[in-house]
Amino acid sequence: MSNRYRRHNALMQKLGLGGVDGSENARAQLWAHRLEWPMLMLVLWILVDWYLRAKGMNAPVLTHITDWFIWICFAGEMSVMLALVDDKRRYLRQNWLNPVIILTGIPVLLGAEFFYTGMLRGLRLLIMVGILLKVSQDLRLILARHHLGKTMAIALLFLIISGFLISGIDPAFNGPLDGIWWAWVTMTTVGYGDIVPSTTEGRLFGMVLILMGIGLFSMLTASFSVFFIEQDEKEMVEKEDQNIKRINQLEARLDRIEHHLARAVNTLERLEAMEARDRAPRNDPPEKPSEPE
């Protein structure tokens, strides 16, 4: 494990979003991986719910149902993981934000309204920060393997989240579609200028998004380049493999021909030797004269 990966894990644990430790059992790690995408979808819904509440478009009944649904999802995920992990104390220590969200959400669910009730609901948005940090780590790993489909999906996720955030904090945007359009042209560094942030918060967020866009699309460009280069190299390697197979087949045929020629030469040499022996005059000793009786 590299030092950069260790630092990333240490940061996630300090934020209370450490997930399942790498030394845990295989079943716990499997279910942690399975629950990542459902929790990511939940985070996106939290973002949509936050935007609707910021614009005053949420009905009280829907707000109450949403609060219960989100709380049940967080509680269910923590219960499942606590039932699967071996070291429960370590899991709670590395994921302290989950129980904080669950416990602070109980008075809100019971209808208690405090001056910090909105802050308690907004605490759930911290999960989104953790998801983005984890996604950034996964993005580097995916780009290293050149999985372009997943890379584009992560880039689209950044766009959607950024669009909802800017449309919620800046009044210059009429809705999430305007925010997503602005995030798209900003992250791609095109910058049409048809929609621009009008508040300090929006401009600060735009600065962060520009930096993210430069890095993300630079990595995407490099990933596409490497992908196409690898495709060309793959074709070249396939052709080289075919040529090598043909050369090996020719060498095998030549070996067989050489073997047959060697046998033919040996046979001819033996035949010539036999003919030479047959043609050679016989030097038998002369017969002795018979003695008179």
mmCIF file of all heavy atoms in Angstrom, residues 12-61:
data_model
loop_
_atom_site.group_PDB
_atom_site.id
_atom_site.type_symbol
_atom_site.label_atom_id
_atom_site.label_comp_id
_atom_site.label_asym_id
_atom_site.label_seq_id
_atom_site.Cartn_x
_atom_site.Cartn_y
_atom_site.Cartn_z
ATOM 1 N N MET A 12 -9.918 9.928 5.636
ATOM 2 C CA MET A 12 -11.295 9.437 5.682
ATOM 3 C C MET A 12 -11.681 8.995 7.086
ATOM 4 O O MET A 12 -12.803 9.218 7.537
ATOM 5 C CB MET A 12 -11.458 8.278 4.693
ATOM 6 C CG MET A 12 -11.246 8.667 3.233
ATOM 7 S SD MET A 12 -12.516 9.760 2.602
ATOM 8 C CE MET A 12 -13.879 8.615 2.428
ATOM 9 N N GLN A 13 -10.760 8.368 7.805
ATOM 10 C CA GLN A 13 -11.055 7.925 9.168
ATOM 11 C C GLN A 13 -11.230 9.103 10.111
ATOM 12 O O GLN A 13 -12.096 9.087 10.988
ATOM 13 C CB GLN A 13 -9.930 7.008 9.651
ATOM 14 C CG GLN A 13 -9.878 5.664 8.929
ATOM 15 C CD GLN A 13 -8.645 4.864 9.272
ATOM 16 O OE1 GLN A 13 -7.901 5.213 10.207
ATOM 17 N NE2 GLN A 13 -8.390 3.787 8.542
ATOM 18 N N LYS A 14 -10.439 10.161 9.925
ATOM 19 C CA LYS A 14 -10.596 11.348 10.763
ATOM 20 C C LYS A 14 -11.935 12.023 10.513
ATOM 21 O O LYS A 14 -12.534 12.591 11.429
ATOM 22 C CB LYS A 14 -9.450 12.324 10.505
ATOM 23 C CG LYS A 14 -8.102 11.844 11.026
ATOM 24 C CD LYS A 14 -7.006 12.855 10.709
ATOM 25 C CE LYS A 14 -5.648 12.362 11.209
ATOM 26 N NZ LYS A 14 -4.566 13.333 10.885
ATOM 27 N N LEU A 15 -12.410 11.971 9.266
ATOM 28 C CA LEU A 15 -13.709 12.564 8.942
ATOM 29 C C LEU A 15 -14.872 11.686 9.359
ATOM 30 O O LEU A 15 -16.031 12.079 9.214
ATOM 31 C CB LEU A 15 -13.796 12.832 7.433
ATOM 32 C CG LEU A 15 -12.865 13.905 6.875
ATOM 33 C CD1 LEU A 15 -12.968 13.962 5.366
ATOM 34 C CD2 LEU A 15 -13.199 15.272 7.478
ATOM 35 N N GLY A 16 -14.566 10.490 9.888
ATOM 36 C CA GLY A 16 -15.634 9.580 10.280
ATOM 37 C C GLY A 16 -16.235 8.829 9.126
ATOM 38 O O GLY A 16 -17.376 8.363 9.219
ATOM 39 N N LEU A 17 -15.482 8.681 8.037
ATOM 40 C CA LEU A 17 -15.979 8.012 6.824
ATOM 41 C C LEU A 17 -14.971 6.970 6.357
ATOM 42 O O LEU A 17 -14.745 6.785 5.160
ATOM 43 C CB LEU A 17 -16.222 9.047 5.715
ATOM 44 C CG LEU A 17 -17.244 10.131 6.050
ATOM 45 C CD1 LEU A 17 -17.091 11.305 5.111
ATOM 46 C CD2 LEU A 17 -18.646 9.567 5.971
ATOM 47 N N GLY A 18 -14.380 6.262 7.317
ATOM 48 C CA GLY A 18 -13.324 5.306 6.995
ATOM 49 C C GLY A 18 -13.801 4.042 6.335
ATOM 50 O O GLY A 18 -13.022 3.350 5.690
ATOM 51 N N GLY A 19 -15.086 3.706 6.488
ATOM 52 C CA GLY A 19 -15.582 2.473 5.896
ATOM 53 C C GLY A 19 -15.051 1.251 6.611
ATOM 54 O O GLY A 19 -14.641 1.305 7.776
ATOM 55 N N VAL A 20 -15.037 0.131 5.909
ATOM 56 C CA VAL A 20 -14.576 -1.125 6.483
ATOM 57 C C VAL A 20 -13.063 -1.213 6.354
ATOM 58 O O VAL A 20 -12.501 -0.944 5.297
ATOM 59 C CB VAL A 20 -15.252 -2.322 5.779
ATOM 60 C CG1 VAL A 20 -14.694 -3.640 6.299
ATOM 61 C CG2 VAL A 20 -16.751 -2.276 6.000
ATOM 62 N N ASP A 21 -12.399 -1.581 7.446
ATOM 63 C CA ASP A 21 -10.956 -1.690 7.444
ATOM 64 C C ASP A 21 -10.511 -2.826 6.523
ATOM 65 O O ASP A 21 -11.219 -3.832 6.352
ATOM 66 C CB ASP A 21 -10.457 -1.941 8.866
ATOM 67 C CG ASP A 21 -8.960 -1.727 8.985
ATOM 68 O OD1 ASP A 21 -8.525 -0.575 9.105
ATOM 69 O OD2 ASP A 21 -8.225 -2.729 8.930
ATOM 70 N N GLY A 22 -9.337 -2.657 5.933
ATOM 71 C CA GLY A 22 -8.837 -3.655 4.998
ATOM 72 C C GLY A 22 -8.528 -4.995 5.623
ATOM 73 O O GLY A 22 -8.445 -6.002 4.924
ATOM 74 N N SER A 23 -8.371 -5.035 6.954
ATOM 75 C CA SER A 23 -8.080 -6.299 7.632
ATOM 76 C C SER A 23 -9.331 -7.043 8.073
ATOM 77 O O SER A 23 -9.225 -8.105 8.700
ATOM 78 C CB SER A 23 -7.194 -6.027 8.855
ATOM 79 O OG SER A 23 -7.860 -5.149 9.777
ATOM 80 N N GLU A 24 -10.516 -6.491 7.760
ATOM 81 C CA GLU A 24 -11.763 -7.159 8.151
ATOM 82 C C GLU A 24 -12.008 -8.390 7.277
ATOM 83 O O GLU A 24 -11.335 -8.620 6.274
ATOM 84 C CB GLU A 24 -12.937 -6.192 8.041
ATOM 85 C CG GLU A 24 -13.053 -5.216 9.201
ATOM 86 C CD GLU A 24 -13.498 -5.898 10.497
ATOM 87 O OE1 GLU A 24 -13.937 -7.067 10.429
ATOM 88 O OE2 GLU A 24 -13.399 -5.264 11.554
ATOM 89 N N ASN A 25 -13.025 -9.168 7.688
ATOM 90 C CA ASN A 25 -13.326 -10.406 6.969
ATOM 91 C C ASN A 25 -13.884 -10.095 5.576
ATOM 92 O O ASN A 25 -14.353 -8.986 5.295
ATOM 93 C CB ASN A 25 -14.311 -11.264 7.767
ATOM 94 C CG ASN A 25 -15.648 -10.561 7.980
ATOM 95 O OD1 ASN A 25 -16.510 -10.518 7.098
ATOM 96 N ND2 ASN A 25 -15.826 -10.002 9.179
ATOM 97 N N ALA A 26 -13.820 -11.093 4.704
ATOM 98 C CA ALA A 26 -14.199 -10.905 3.302
ATOM 99 C C ALA A 26 -15.680 -10.575 3.150
ATOM 100 O O ALA A 26 -16.065 -9.802 2.270
ATOM 101 C CB ALA A 26 -13.865 -12.162 2.499
ATOM 102 N N ARG A 27 -16.520 -11.137 4.009
ATOM 103 C CA ARG A 27 -17.958 -10.883 3.896
ATOM 104 C C ARG A 27 -18.287 -9.428 4.200
ATOM 105 O O ARG A 27 -19.104 -8.806 3.511
ATOM 106 C CB ARG A 27 -18.717 -11.811 4.836
ATOM 107 C CG ARG A 27 -20.229 -11.808 4.618
ATOM 108 C CD ARG A 27 -20.913 -12.742 5.578
ATOM 109 N NE ARG A 27 -22.352 -12.722 5.388
ATOM 110 C CZ ARG A 27 -23.223 -13.299 6.230
ATOM 111 N NH1 ARG A 27 -22.769 -13.945 7.298
ATOM 112 N NH2 ARG A 27 -24.512 -13.231 5.992
ATOM 113 N N ALA A 28 -17.656 -8.875 5.238
ATOM 114 C CA ALA A 28 -17.891 -7.472 5.580
ATOM 115 C C ALA A 28 -17.425 -6.557 4.451
ATOM 116 O O ALA A 28 -18.114 -5.589 4.099
ATOM 117 C CB ALA A 28 -17.177 -7.131 6.886
ATOM 118 N N GLN A 29 -16.278 -6.848 3.869
ATOM 119 C CA GLN A 29 -15.788 -6.027 2.761
ATOM 120 C C GLN A 29 -16.684 -6.148 1.537
ATOM 121 O O GLN A 29 -16.905 -5.170 0.822
ATOM 122 C CB GLN A 29 -14.362 -6.448 2.416
ATOM 123 C CG GLN A 29 -13.354 -6.167 3.529
ATOM 124 C CD GLN A 29 -11.932 -6.462 3.107
ATOM 125 O OE1 GLN A 29 -11.619 -6.464 1.924
ATOM 126 N NE2 GLN A 29 -11.053 -6.710 4.066
ATOM 127 N N LEU A 30 -17.239 -7.350 1.311
ATOM 128 C CA LEU A 30 -18.134 -7.539 0.164
ATOM 129 C C LEU A 30 -19.395 -6.703 0.322
ATOM 130 O O LEU A 30 -19.831 -6.019 -0.620
ATOM 131 C CB LEU A 30 -18.485 -9.023 0.032
ATOM 132 C CG LEU A 30 -19.525 -9.372 -1.035
ATOM 133 C CD1 LEU A 30 -19.004 -9.007 -2.423
ATOM 134 C CD2 LEU A 30 -19.886 -10.847 -0.968
ATOM 135 N N TRP A 31 -19.999 -6.729 1.511
ATOM 136 C CA TRP A 31 -21.236 -5.972 1.722
ATOM 137 C C TRP A 31 -20.980 -4.474 1.771
ATOM 138 O O TRP A 31 -21.833 -3.678 1.370
ATOM 139 C CB TRP A 31 -21.930 -6.445 2.995
ATOM 140 C CG TRP A 31 -22.782 -7.639 2.739
ATOM 141 C CD1 TRP A 31 -22.472 -8.948 2.953
ATOM 142 C CD2 TRP A 31 -24.093 -7.628 2.173
ATOM 143 N NE1 TRP A 31 -23.512 -9.760 2.570
ATOM 144 C CE2 TRP A 31 -24.522 -8.981 2.086
ATOM 145 C CE3 TRP A 31 -24.948 -6.629 1.733
ATOM 146 C CZ2 TRP A 31 -25.771 -9.334 1.567
ATOM 147 C CZ3 TRP A 31 -26.194 -6.983 1.230
ATOM 148 C CH2 TRP A 31 -26.587 -8.307 1.149
ATOM 149 N N ALA A 32 -19.812 -4.085 2.251
ATOM 150 C CA ALA A 32 -19.465 -2.660 2.209
ATOM 151 C C ALA A 32 -19.391 -2.179 0.769
ATOM 152 O O ALA A 32 -19.842 -1.075 0.440
ATOM 153 C CB ALA A 32 -18.140 -2.429 2.924
ATOM 154 N N HIS A 33 -18.832 -3.016 -0.104
ATOM 155 C CA HIS A 33 -18.763 -2.666 -1.519
ATOM 156 C C HIS A 33 -20.157 -2.655 -2.148
ATOM 157 O O HIS A 33 -20.465 -1.796 -2.979
ATOM 158 C CB HIS A 33 -17.864 -3.659 -2.247
ATOM 159 C CG HIS A 33 -17.688 -3.368 -3.699
ATOM 160 N ND1 HIS A 33 -16.982 -2.280 -4.168
ATOM 161 C CD2 HIS A 33 -18.162 -4.009 -4.806
ATOM 162 C CE1 HIS A 33 -17.009 -2.266 -5.484
ATOM 163 N NE2 HIS A 33 -17.721 -3.305 -5.903
ATOM 164 N N ARG A 34 -21.026 -3.584 -1.753
ATOM 165 C CA ARG A 34 -22.378 -3.632 -2.309
ATOM 166 C C ARG A 34 -23.214 -2.425 -1.890
ATOM 167 O O ARG A 34 -24.066 -1.964 -2.643
ATOM 168 C CB ARG A 34 -23.079 -4.912 -1.858
ATOM 169 C CG ARG A 34 -22.564 -6.176 -2.532
ATOM 170 C CD ARG A 34 -23.275 -7.405 -1.980
ATOM 171 N NE ARG A 34 -22.863 -8.620 -2.682
ATOM 172 C CZ ARG A 34 -23.276 -9.839 -2.346
ATOM 173 N NH1 ARG A 34 -24.099 -9.996 -1.307
ATOM 174 N NH2 ARG A 34 -22.863 -10.892 -3.029
ATOM 175 N N LEU A 35 -22.985 -1.922 -0.701
ATOM 176 C CA LEU A 35 -23.793 -0.801 -0.194
ATOM 177 C C LEU A 35 -23.283 0.555 -0.652
ATOM 178 O O LEU A 35 -23.922 1.569 -0.364
ATOM 179 C CB LEU A 35 -23.834 -0.851 1.336
ATOM 180 C CG LEU A 35 -24.609 -2.017 1.956
ATOM 181 C CD1 LEU A 35 -24.435 -2.032 3.467
ATOM 182 C CD2 LEU A 35 -26.091 -1.937 1.598
ATOM 183 N N GLU A 36 -22.142 0.600 -1.322
ATOM 184 C CA GLU A 36 -21.585 1.890 -1.736
ATOM 185 C C GLU A 36 -22.517 2.624 -2.699
ATOM 186 O O GLU A 36 -22.819 3.805 -2.504
ATOM 187 C CB GLU A 36 -20.213 1.677 -2.394
ATOM 188 C CG GLU A 36 -19.085 1.473 -1.402
ATOM 189 C CD GLU A 36 -17.751 1.316 -2.097
ATOM 190 O OE1 GLU A 36 -17.726 1.341 -3.343
ATOM 191 O OE2 GLU A 36 -16.741 1.168 -1.392
ATOM 192 N N TRP A 37 -22.982 1.956 -3.750
ATOM 193 C CA TRP A 37 -23.809 2.624 -4.747
ATOM 194 C C TRP A 37 -25.193 2.985 -4.213
ATOM 195 O O TRP A 37 -25.672 4.095 -4.499
ATOM 196 C CB TRP A 37 -23.914 1.771 -6.011
ATOM 197 C CG TRP A 37 -22.687 1.882 -6.851
ATOM 198 C CD1 TRP A 37 -21.654 0.994 -6.934
ATOM 199 C CD2 TRP A 37 -22.320 2.982 -7.691
ATOM 200 N NE1 TRP A 37 -20.678 1.459 -7.780
ATOM 201 C CE2 TRP A 37 -21.061 2.672 -8.265
ATOM 202 C CE3 TRP A 37 -22.937 4.185 -8.018
ATOM 203 C CZ2 TRP A 37 -20.419 3.532 -9.153
ATOM 204 C CZ3 TRP A 37 -22.285 5.038 -8.905
ATOM 205 C CH2 TRP A 37 -21.039 4.711 -9.454
ATOM 206 N N PRO A 38 -25.880 2.116 -3.434
ATOM 207 C CA PRO A 38 -27.144 2.576 -2.829
ATOM 208 C C PRO A 38 -26.964 3.800 -1.943
ATOM 209 O O PRO A 38 -27.796 4.728 -1.968
ATOM 210 C CB PRO A 38 -27.608 1.361 -2.021
ATOM 211 C CG PRO A 38 -27.014 0.197 -2.722
ATOM 212 C CD PRO A 38 -25.694 0.665 -3.215
ATOM 213 N N MET A 39 -25.877 3.844 -1.157
ATOM 214 C CA MET A 39 -25.645 5.013 -0.316
ATOM 215 C C MET A 39 -25.295 6.235 -1.166
ATOM 216 O O MET A 39 -25.629 7.369 -0.802
ATOM 217 C CB MET A 39 -24.518 4.727 0.684
ATOM 218 C CG MET A 39 -24.861 3.683 1.722
ATOM 219 S SD MET A 39 -26.365 4.088 2.667
ATOM 220 C CE MET A 39 -25.824 5.554 3.550
ATOM 221 N N LEU A 40 -24.635 6.020 -2.290
ATOM 222 C CA LEU A 40 -24.341 7.137 -3.193
ATOM 223 C C LEU A 40 -25.637 7.711 -3.768
ATOM 224 O O LEU A 40 -25.797 8.933 -3.864
ATOM 225 C CB LEU A 40 -23.418 6.673 -4.313
ATOM 226 C CG LEU A 40 -23.019 7.726 -5.347
ATOM 227 C CD1 LEU A 40 -22.317 8.894 -4.679
ATOM 228 C CD2 LEU A 40 -22.132 7.110 -6.416
ATOM 229 N N MET A 41 -26.572 6.832 -4.142
ATOM 230 C CA MET A 41 -27.873 7.300 -4.624
ATOM 231 C C MET A 41 -28.612 8.063 -3.523
ATOM 232 O O MET A 41 -29.300 9.061 -3.787
ATOM 233 C CB MET A 41 -28.713 6.120 -5.097
ATOM 234 C CG MET A 41 -28.159 5.371 -6.306
ATOM 235 S SD MET A 41 -28.018 6.418 -7.776
ATOM 236 C CE MET A 41 -26.229 6.707 -7.810
ATOM 237 N N LEU A 42 -28.461 7.593 -2.283
ATOM 238 C CA LEU A 42 -29.093 8.291 -1.155
ATOM 239 C C LEU A 42 -28.495 9.686 -0.993
ATOM 240 O O LEU A 42 -29.223 10.656 -0.718
ATOM 241 C CB LEU A 42 -28.906 7.479 0.120
ATOM 242 C CG LEU A 42 -29.492 8.096 1.401
ATOM 243 C CD1 LEU A 42 -31.012 8.172 1.307
ATOM 244 C CD2 LEU A 42 -29.067 7.297 2.628
ATOM 245 N N VAL A 43 -27.176 9.793 -1.171
ATOM 246 C CA VAL A 43 -26.518 11.101 -1.061
ATOM 247 C C VAL A 43 -27.033 12.050 -2.132
ATOM 248 O O VAL A 43 -27.259 13.241 -1.882
ATOM 249 C CB VAL A 43 -24.988 10.925 -1.146
ATOM 250 C CG1 VAL A 43 -24.304 12.259 -1.352
ATOM 251 C CG2 VAL A 43 -24.468 10.260 0.104
ATOM 252 N N LEU A 44 -27.237 11.536 -3.337
ATOM 253 C CA LEU A 44 -27.788 12.377 -4.398
ATOM 254 C C LEU A 44 -29.186 12.848 -4.054
ATOM 255 O O LEU A 44 -29.561 13.992 -4.318
ATOM 256 C CB LEU A 44 -27.789 11.612 -5.721
ATOM 257 C CG LEU A 44 -26.426 11.319 -6.337
ATOM 258 C CD1 LEU A 44 -26.581 10.503 -7.607
ATOM 259 C CD2 LEU A 44 -25.678 12.609 -6.630
ATOM 260 N N TRP A 45 -29.988 11.960 -3.437
ATOM 261 C CA TRP A 45 -31.333 12.380 -3.022
ATOM 262 C C TRP A 45 -31.260 13.416 -1.898
ATOM 263 O O TRP A 45 -32.066 14.348 -1.851
ATOM 264 C CB TRP A 45 -32.160 11.186 -2.578
ATOM 265 C CG TRP A 45 -33.472 11.601 -1.991
ATOM 266 C CD1 TRP A 45 -33.889 11.473 -0.702
ATOM 267 C CD2 TRP A 45 -34.537 12.275 -2.675
ATOM 268 N NE1 TRP A 45 -35.129 12.004 -0.529
ATOM 269 C CE2 TRP A 45 -35.563 12.512 -1.730
ATOM 270 C CE3 TRP A 45 -34.721 12.715 -3.991
ATOM 271 C CZ2 TRP A 45 -36.739 13.154 -2.067
ATOM 272 C CZ3 TRP A 45 -35.897 13.352 -4.323
ATOM 273 C CH2 TRP A 45 -36.892 13.557 -3.370
ATOM 274 N N ILE A 46 -30.293 13.260 -0.984
ATOM 275 C CA ILE A 46 -30.111 14.268 0.072
ATOM 276 C C ILE A 46 -29.802 15.618 -0.554
ATOM 277 O O ILE A 46 -30.305 16.668 -0.100
ATOM 278 C CB ILE A 46 -28.979 13.834 1.034
ATOM 279 C CG1 ILE A 46 -29.418 12.611 1.845
ATOM 280 C CG2 ILE A 46 -28.598 14.972 1.976
ATOM 281 C CD1 ILE A 46 -28.308 12.034 2.700
ATOM 282 N N LEU A 47 -29.003 15.610 -1.602
ATOM 283 C CA LEU A 47 -28.663 16.858 -2.284
ATOM 284 C C LEU A 47 -29.904 17.478 -2.929
ATOM 285 O O LEU A 47 -30.121 18.691 -2.840
ATOM 286 C CB LEU A 47 -27.594 16.586 -3.330
ATOM 287 C CG LEU A 47 -27.051 17.787 -4.094
ATOM 288 C CD1 LEU A 47 -26.397 18.772 -3.137
ATOM 289 C CD2 LEU A 47 -26.058 17.334 -5.153
ATOM 290 N N VAL A 48 -30.721 16.639 -3.588
ATOM 291 C CA VAL A 48 -31.954 17.142 -4.192
ATOM 292 C C VAL A 48 -32.896 17.679 -3.118
ATOM 293 O O VAL A 48 -33.502 18.763 -3.277
ATOM 294 C CB VAL A 48 -32.636 16.026 -5.013
ATOM 295 C CG1 VAL A 48 -33.998 16.485 -5.515
ATOM 296 C CG2 VAL A 48 -31.759 15.610 -6.183
ATOM 297 N N ASP A 49 -33.013 16.952 -2.017
ATOM 298 C CA ASP A 49 -33.881 17.394 -0.921
ATOM 299 C C ASP A 49 -33.393 18.710 -0.335
ATOM 300 O O ASP A 49 -34.195 19.603 -0.004
ATOM 301 C CB ASP A 49 -33.921 16.302 0.154
ATOM 302 C CG ASP A 49 -34.787 16.693 1.340
ATOM 303 O OD1 ASP A 49 -36.015 16.825 1.162
ATOM 304 O OD2 ASP A 49 -34.232 16.867 2.448
ATOM 305 N N TRP A 50 -32.076 18.851 -0.184
ATOM 306 C CA TRP A 50 -31.519 20.113 0.330
ATOM 307 C C TRP A 50 -31.855 21.268 -0.603
ATOM 308 O O TRP A 50 -32.201 22.375 -0.152
ATOM 309 C CB TRP A 50 -30.002 19.958 0.469
ATOM 310 C CG TRP A 50 -29.295 21.253 0.725
ATOM 311 C CD1 TRP A 50 -29.165 21.922 1.909
ATOM 312 C CD2 TRP A 50 -28.621 22.067 -0.255
ATOM 313 N NE1 TRP A 50 -28.460 23.077 1.734
ATOM 314 C CE2 TRP A 50 -28.112 23.196 0.416
ATOM 315 C CE3 TRP A 50 -28.398 21.929 -1.625
ATOM 316 C CZ2 TRP A 50 -27.391 24.181 -0.236
ATOM 317 C CZ3 TRP A 50 -27.682 22.908 -2.281
ATOM 318 C CH2 TRP A 50 -27.183 24.018 -1.588
ATOM 319 N N TYR A 51 -31.767 21.046 -1.915
ATOM 320 C CA TYR A 51 -32.084 22.100 -2.874
ATOM 321 C C TYR A 51 -33.564 22.485 -2.788
ATOM 322 O O TYR A 51 -33.903 23.680 -2.793
ATOM 323 C CB TYR A 51 -31.746 21.635 -4.287
ATOM 324 C CG TYR A 51 -32.234 22.580 -5.357
ATOM 325 C CD1 TYR A 51 -31.549 23.761 -5.628
ATOM 326 C CD2 TYR A 51 -33.395 22.306 -6.075
ATOM 327 C CE1 TYR A 51 -31.999 24.644 -6.593
ATOM 328 C CE2 TYR A 51 -33.854 23.187 -7.042
ATOM 329 C CZ TYR A 51 -33.153 24.344 -7.303
ATOM 330 O OH TYR A 51 -33.605 25.216 -8.257
ATOM 331 N N LEU A 52 -34.449 21.494 -2.714
ATOM 332 C CA LEU A 52 -35.883 21.778 -2.638
ATOM 333 C C LEU A 52 -36.221 22.564 -1.377
ATOM 334 O O LEU A 52 -37.048 23.487 -1.404
ATOM 335 C CB LEU A 52 -36.680 20.475 -2.679
ATOM 336 C CG LEU A 52 -36.612 19.685 -4.003
ATOM 337 C CD1 LEU A 52 -37.361 18.366 -3.869
ATOM 338 C CD2 LEU A 52 -37.182 20.515 -5.153
ATOM 339 N N ARG A 53 -35.570 22.231 -0.268
ATOM 340 C CA ARG A 53 -35.829 22.965 0.971
ATOM 341 C C ARG A 53 -35.252 24.374 0.894
ATOM 342 O O ARG A 53 -35.851 25.325 1.421
ATOM 343 C CB ARG A 53 -35.225 22.211 2.153
ATOM 344 C CG ARG A 53 -35.922 20.883 2.428
ATOM 345 C CD ARG A 53 -35.378 20.211 3.667
ATOM 346 N NE ARG A 53 -35.951 18.882 3.820
ATOM 347 C CZ ARG A 53 -35.786 18.121 4.885
ATOM 348 N NH1 ARG A 53 -35.059 18.564 5.899
ATOM 349 N NH2 ARG A 53 -36.338 16.935 4.950
ATOM 350 N N ALA A 54 -34.077 24.519 0.251
ATOM 351 C CA ALA A 54 -33.478 25.859 0.141
ATOM 352 C C ALA A 54 -34.353 26.785 -0.690
ATOM 353 O O ALA A 54 -34.401 27.996 -0.434
ATOM 354 C CB ALA A 54 -32.081 25.752 -0.472
ATOM 355 N N LYS A 55 -35.069 26.227 -1.673
ATOM 356 C CA LYS A 55 -35.952 27.025 -2.520
ATOM 357 C C LYS A 55 -37.394 27.064 -2.008
ATOM 358 O O LYS A 55 -38.244 27.711 -2.626
ATOM 359 C CB LYS A 55 -35.947 26.468 -3.945
ATOM 360 C CG LYS A 55 -34.580 26.535 -4.631
ATOM 361 C CD LYS A 55 -34.106 27.967 -4.776
ATOM 362 C CE LYS A 55 -32.781 28.048 -5.512
ATOM 363 N NZ LYS A 55 -32.307 29.432 -5.686
ATOM 364 N N GLY A 56 -37.647 26.386 -0.885
ATOM 365 C CA GLY A 56 -38.995 26.392 -0.317
ATOM 366 C C GLY A 56 -40.019 25.640 -1.145
ATOM 367 O O GLY A 56 -41.207 25.991 -1.122
ATOM 368 N N MET A 57 -39.597 24.615 -1.858
ATOM 369 C CA MET A 57 -40.501 23.867 -2.729
ATOM 370 C C MET A 57 -40.894 22.513 -2.156
ATOM 371 O O MET A 57 -41.480 21.688 -2.841
ATOM 372 C CB MET A 57 -39.854 23.668 -4.105
ATOM 373 C CG MET A 57 -39.624 24.966 -4.866
ATOM 374 S SD MET A 57 -39.012 24.696 -6.560
ATOM 375 C CE MET A 57 -37.396 24.038 -6.239
ATOM 376 N N ASN A 58 -40.531 22.247 -0.905
ATOM 377 C CA ASN A 58 -40.832 20.960 -0.289
ATOM 378 C C ASN A 58 -42.074 21.053 0.577
ATOM 379 O O ASN A 58 -42.194 21.965 1.411
ATOM 380 C CB ASN A 58 -39.650 20.491 0.566
ATOM 381 C CG ASN A 58 -39.156 19.138 0.141
ATOM 382 O OD1 ASN A 58 -39.621 18.586 -0.846
ATOM 383 N ND2 ASN A 58 -38.228 18.580 0.886
ATOM 384 N N ALA A 59 -43.006 20.120 0.408
ATOM 385 C CA ALA A 59 -44.189 20.057 1.265
ATOM 386 C C ALA A 59 -43.799 19.481 2.624
ATOM 387 O O ALA A 59 -42.895 18.644 2.708
ATOM 388 C CB ALA A 59 -45.264 19.199 0.605
ATOM 389 N N PRO A 60 -44.473 19.900 3.722
ATOM 390 C CA PRO A 60 -44.118 19.381 5.052
ATOM 391 C C PRO A 60 -44.221 17.864 5.147
ATOM 392 O O PRO A 60 -43.391 17.223 5.797
ATOM 393 C CB PRO A 60 -45.121 20.084 5.973
ATOM 394 C CG PRO A 60 -45.510 21.328 5.236
ATOM 395 C CD PRO A 60 -45.491 20.962 3.787
ATOM 396 N N VAL A 61 -45.244 17.284 4.507
ATOM 397 C CA VAL A 61 -45.404 15.827 4.574
ATOM 398 C C VAL A 61 -44.232 15.133 3.881
ATOM 399 O O VAL A 61 -43.658 14.161 4.390
ATOM 400 C CB VAL A 61 -46.741 15.408 3.925
ATOM 401 C CG1 VAL A 61 -46.860 13.891 3.909
ATOM 402 C CG2 VAL A 61 -47.907 16.035 4.671
#
